[in-house]
Amino acid sequence: QKEVEQDPGPLSVPEGAIVSLNCTYSNSAFQYFMWYRQYSRKGPELLMYTYSSGNKEDGRFTAQVDKSSKYISLFIRDSQPSDSATYLCAMSESYNQGGKLIFGQGTELSVKP
Amino acid sequence: SAVISQKPSRDICQRGTSLTIQCQVDSQVTMMFWYRQQPGQSLTLIATANQGSEATYESGFVIDKFPISRPNLTFSTLTVSNMSPEDSSIYLCSVERRTGSRYNEQFFGPGTRLTVL
């Protein structure tokens, strides 16, 4: 079993739709949960991070963490064609990661105009 | 943030040869990291490159296959040695910077897309 599982998609939605991206994990020691966005031919860039359980909102993006279920989600409201990218969840046990980020496979999202 | 460049951006290589990938950061950092992103697979940490000491390799990765240099605080190289088609992948370097009161963010370079024939 992989430490982090993520549905690879691809996921195709019409512009304006609400998108839900999810990851499950097995390591209960994970405390920091990140979502990265990766455009084609580019490196991943951090969208949001959350510490422990709870919700965090940033504009059209909302990250949710449910540690009891070992389940995290990223919601994108009013999706735009510019949101088309691969979304990677990542997790670590401490803030001083020392590179120890564990990634999901990534979900490829396409938002159609 | 951090500005990270990698060279080459892509390459096509023959089986049995080696390729050295360069990573340059816009300011000094203590640790630099090398990741591999294989098609359909998770981004996986290969090793951590510390200036002035040997790199630390993750399980499944060895120095003979992926030698790393870190001559100064802004530069590192990763060599993929004796390549086989299974080494076809995107290789990314990253650095860690404190961006929040309790969080170190990782910034990634654009990656080097390697195809081995």
Side-chain angles (χ1 to χ4, degrees):
Chain A
Q1 181 190 8
K2 294 181 181 177
E3 268 194 292
V4 179
E5 299 271 5
Q6 183 176 7
D7 186 341
L11 181 63
S12 181
V13 301
E15 183 175 355
I18 296 175
V19 177
S20 172
L21 304 168
N22 312 293
C23 289
T24 59
Y25 63 95
S26 57
N27 184 355
S28 59
F30 287 143
Q31 294 281 353
Y32 288 83
F33 304 89
M34 284 70 73
W35 286 96
Y36 282 80
R37 178 174 60 195
Q38 186 175 21
Y39 291 114
S40 181
R41 305 281 196 259
K42 303 287 187 183
E45 57 177 346
L46 182 68
L47 263 181
M48 299 179 70
Y49 81 90
T50 308
Y51 171 68
S52 194
S53 285
N55 294 355
K56 188 173 185 178
E57 190 172 319
D58 184 1
R60 296 184 295 109
F61 298 88
T62 300
Q64 286 186 353
V65 175
D66 182 349
K67 290 190 69 181
S68 63
S69 301
K70 296 189 178 68
Y71 187 87
I72 71 170
S73 301
L74 178 71
F75 297 96
I76 306 174
R77 291 184 300 279
D78 187 25
S79 57
Q80 303 294 309
S82 59
D83 295 328
S84 298
T86 297
Y87 290 81
L88 304 157
C89 64
M91 310 177 187
S92 67
E93 295 184 14
S94 75
Y95 79 94
N96 183 13
Q97 300 147 23
K100 297 291 186 182
L101 285 182
I102 308 298
F103 283 86
Q105 288 176 276
T107 300
E108 185 181 345
L109 171 67
S110 176
V111 181
K112 303 295 186 184
Chain B
S1 65
V3 178
I4 305 171
S5 60
Q6 286 184 234
K7 289 182 181 179
S9 59
R10 63 193 311 153
D11 208 341
I12 300 173
C13 301
Q14 295 297 319
R15 182 195 300 259
T17 62
S18 298
L19 176 72
T20 295
I21 302 168
Q22 300 178 5
C23 179
Q24 180 76 51
V25 188
D26 63 338
S27 59
Q28 295 181 345
V29 291
T30 303
M31 289 191 289
M32 296 177 73
F33 310 100
W34 286 98
Y35 283 84
R36 182 173 72 182
Q37 189 173 29
Q38 292 181 305
Q41 302 294 318
S42 308
L43 206 63
T44 303
L45 181 65
I46 297 172
T48 302
N50 301 307
Q51 197 270 335
S53 64
E54 286 207 1
T56 305
Y57 289 82
E58 297 299 308
S59 175
F61 298 97
V62 295
I63 188 171
D64 290 345
K65 177 67 176 177
F66 298 101
I68 288 172
S69 77
R70 183 79 198 276
N72 58 53
L73 290 174
T74 63
F75 186 79
S76 177
T77 67
L78 169 77
T79 299
V80 186
S81 302
N82 188 24
M83 288 184 286
S84 67
E86 292 70 37
D87 295 318
S88 297
S89 183
I90 300 172
Y91 293 85
L92 300 111
C93 69
S94 77
V95 301
E96 195 173 273
R97 286 238 173 97
R98 178 74 65 92
T99 57
S101 61
R102 297 192 63 215
Y103 185 70
N104 290 356
E105 182 177 342
Q106 280 206 24
F107 297 90
F108 288 84
T112 296
R113 186 176 296 267
L114 171 62
T115 301
V116 183
L117 302 178

